Amino acid sequence: MRTRPLRERTTSPRTRRDWYADIAFFLFAAVFSVLSADSVHLDEDMSRQALVIDQVVGALACGAVFLRRRWPVHLALALLVLGNPFHFLAGATIVAMFTVAVHRPLRVTAWVTAAVGVPFVLFLARSPEADDPRTGSALTYFALIAGSIGWGLYVRQRRQMIAALEERAAAEAGRRAREEIAREMHDVLAHRLSLLSVHAGALEFNQDASKADVRHAAGVIRDSAHQALQDLREVIGVLRAPAGDGASGRPQPTLRDVDRLVAESREAGANVVHRGRADAEAALPPVAGRTAYRIVQEGLTNARKHAPGAPVTVTVSGRPGEGLTVEVVNPLADGSGTAIPGASQGLIGLGERVALAGGTLEHGPDDGTFALRARLPWDAPQESPGPGKDRPLT
């Protein structure tokens, strides 16, 4: 997993938040210099002119804080070098060292830290007097620099961790989007191609059909192929569209489209009985209606694949507050005829759809038939069942 280099962020255009942060660091450096002004008078021989120069250099150092994003290393080294003859640079140096630790690689931070550590070691090697005010001032200075470096490393590590988590979340969202598109492609194309296979099989086995029947079947095959291509273009369009734009521009199926599914299957020669009607279809949540449509679509497709020619019963019933029940039942295949091959992934994807809609799905042999049953919540989220499980009938 790769995260965006922190170095790139320092050279990007400064945002309003960056300006706020730079102003805050400038004020910190200035206030720190003012509060630590008493320590400047350690040298009794310092003239007023030298003190004024020291203050001017300190003010310029505070202003240089605004350059920390573009040249953090150069600024830090310059302030460290000037920190020996001048006293009002401590605040700006702390800010510069913090910036290096946050925005530069660990190797660069280590070299800059060495520029602080070597003078500190040399200072300790001279065995300074513990009661000398200069000793306390130097130790405080080095402690503050070390603290700024440590805090910067912590902030850097935290930012990298957040960036990694965001990248992982984006990858997970992309994976879920791809899975949803894959389910969509399976549901749509399996239905269309199974209709093509049924019509083509009818032409193959009914060789004595009249020219009118052959022309009609060929027209149905052509229309189904065109519709399959159109569905495929729509799904691919979702892949090419920017995130969040693809699904909104493509009409989604609803429960009302179940009648069209049944009509298409009947036109292909299937014996489909459509029973029951849901009350107040307009009040059905879009997710539940779309899921119900896919359940019927998958049930009809599986019936054509595994039990061609067998009668199929589609039942849709329900009302607000009681939930929506969808059932597709067909006799088990007797081994006659030619079954259409499949990838056996439709029911798995369907179970995921139903679970995301907050419903339950059951499928499997049931008293000589194969049943596909689902129950979906309808306008009663507090009473709807929790995420269901895809389980076989017992």
Side-chain angles (χ1 to χ4, degrees):
M1 182 176 297
R2 300 178 60 186
T3 58
R4 180 185 177 189
L6 293 176
R7 187 182 185 88
E8 296 181 3
R9 300 176 188 173
T10 62
T11 58
S12 58
R14 193 173 304 184
T15 64
R16 179 178 298 182
R17 182 178 179 181
D18 293 337
W19 278 108
Y20 289 158
D22 290 344
I23 294 173
F25 278 120
F26 167 77
L27 294 176
F28 166 81
V31 172
F32 186 91
S33 299
V34 173
L35 294 179
S36 61
D38 293 342
S39 62
V40 176
H41 301 287
L42 295 175
D43 190 354
E44 298 179 354
D45 298 331
M46 176 178 289
S47 63
R48 179 175 295 275
Q49 182 179 5
L51 180 60
V52 171
I53 294 175
D54 200 328
Q55 293 173 342
V56 171
V57 173
L60 293 175
C62 293
V65 166
F66 289 98
L67 303 176
R68 69 187 185 92
R69 296 182 183 273
R70 185 174 295 275
W71 300 296
V73 177
H74 302 78
L75 179 62
L77 292 177
L79 292 176
L80 288 174
V81 172
L82 296 175
N84 187 27
F86 299 101
H87 300 278
F88 285 100
L89 307 182
T93 305
I94 292 173
V95 174
M97 295 300 296
F98 170 83
T99 305
V100 170
V102 172
H103 295 290
R104 287 297 179 261
L106 294 178
R107 178 174 56 84
V108 176
T109 303
W111 282 108
V112 178
T113 303
V116 182
V118 171
F120 180 63
V121 174
L122 295 177
F123 171 77
L124 294 178
R126 294 197 299 265
S127 301
E129 297 294 335
D131 56 352
D132 189 344
R134 299 177 184 270
T135 301
S137 178
L139 292 177
T140 301
Y141 172 78
F142 287 120
L144 290 173
I145 296 298
S148 66
I149 296 174
W151 183 252
L153 292 175
Y154 165 76
V155 172
R156 173 189 176 84
Q157 184 66 25
R158 184 174 180 273
R159 289 182 178 180
Q160 289 181 338
M161 181 182 67
I162 293 176
L165 292 176
E166 290 177 348
E167 185 174 350
R168 186 180 303 174
E172 179 67 17
R175 182 186 66 82
R176 292 180 179 178
R178 288 191 297 271
E179 290 179 352
E180 178 65 22
I181 293 172
R183 285 196 295 266
E184 192 78 6
M185 292 180 66
H186 174 274
D187 294 342
V188 172
L189 295 181
H191 174 70
R192 295 295 177 189
L193 296 179
S194 64
L195 287 176
L196 280 173
S197 179
V198 169
H199 286 293
L203 286 178
E204 178 184 3
F205 289 104
N206 190 12
Q207 299 180 359
D208 298 331
S210 63
K211 291 183 179 181
D213 292 338
V214 172
R215 187 181 302 109
H216 174 72
V220 172
I221 292 176
R222 179 194 60 197
D223 294 340
S224 297
H226 289 173
Q227 187 61 47
L229 289 174
Q230 180 62 28
D231 291 337
L232 183 58
R233 290 192 192 99
E234 290 178 355
V235 174
I236 293 177
V238 176
L239 287 172
R240 293 178 177 175
D245 292 345
S248 59
R250 183 166 56 94
Q252 295 293 319
T254 64
L255 190 60
R256 293 189 178 93
D257 295 316
V258 170
D259 291 336
R260 177 174 53 82
L261 278 179
V262 173
E264 288 178 351
S265 296
R266 288 172 178 169
E267 187 176 359
N271 181 11
V272 182
V273 178
H274 190 189
R275 296 177 178 173
R277 289 292 186 274
D279 295 337
E281 293 182 8
L284 183 66
V287 174
R290 188 163 57 247
T291 304
Y293 174 90
R294 296 304 183 193
I295 293 170
V296 176
Q297 185 181 59
E298 181 66 23
L300 294 176
T301 301
N302 286 340
R304 284 192 296 269
K305 285 182 178 180
H306 306 294
V312 184
T313 302
V314 176
T315 305
V316 180
S317 61
R319 64 181 60 186
E322 295 183 1
L324 181 69
T325 301
V326 183
E327 183 180 60
V328 182
V329 180
N330 60 269
L332 292 174
D334 56 5
S336 62
T338 304
I340 303 174
S344 301
Q345 297 297 316
L347 292 176
I348 297 176
L350 191 61
E352 295 174 354
R353 282 183 180 276
V354 173
L356 290 175
T360 58
L361 177 70
E362 299 176 349
H363 61 84
D366 183 23
D367 194 19
T369 63
F370 185 89
L372 178 64
R373 299 191 186 101
R375 181 172 177 81
L376 302 170
W378 186 351
D379 289 343
Q382 72 280 3
E383 299 176 2
S384 61
K389 297 182 179 179
D390 184 9
R391 57 182 183 275
L393 292 173
T394 56

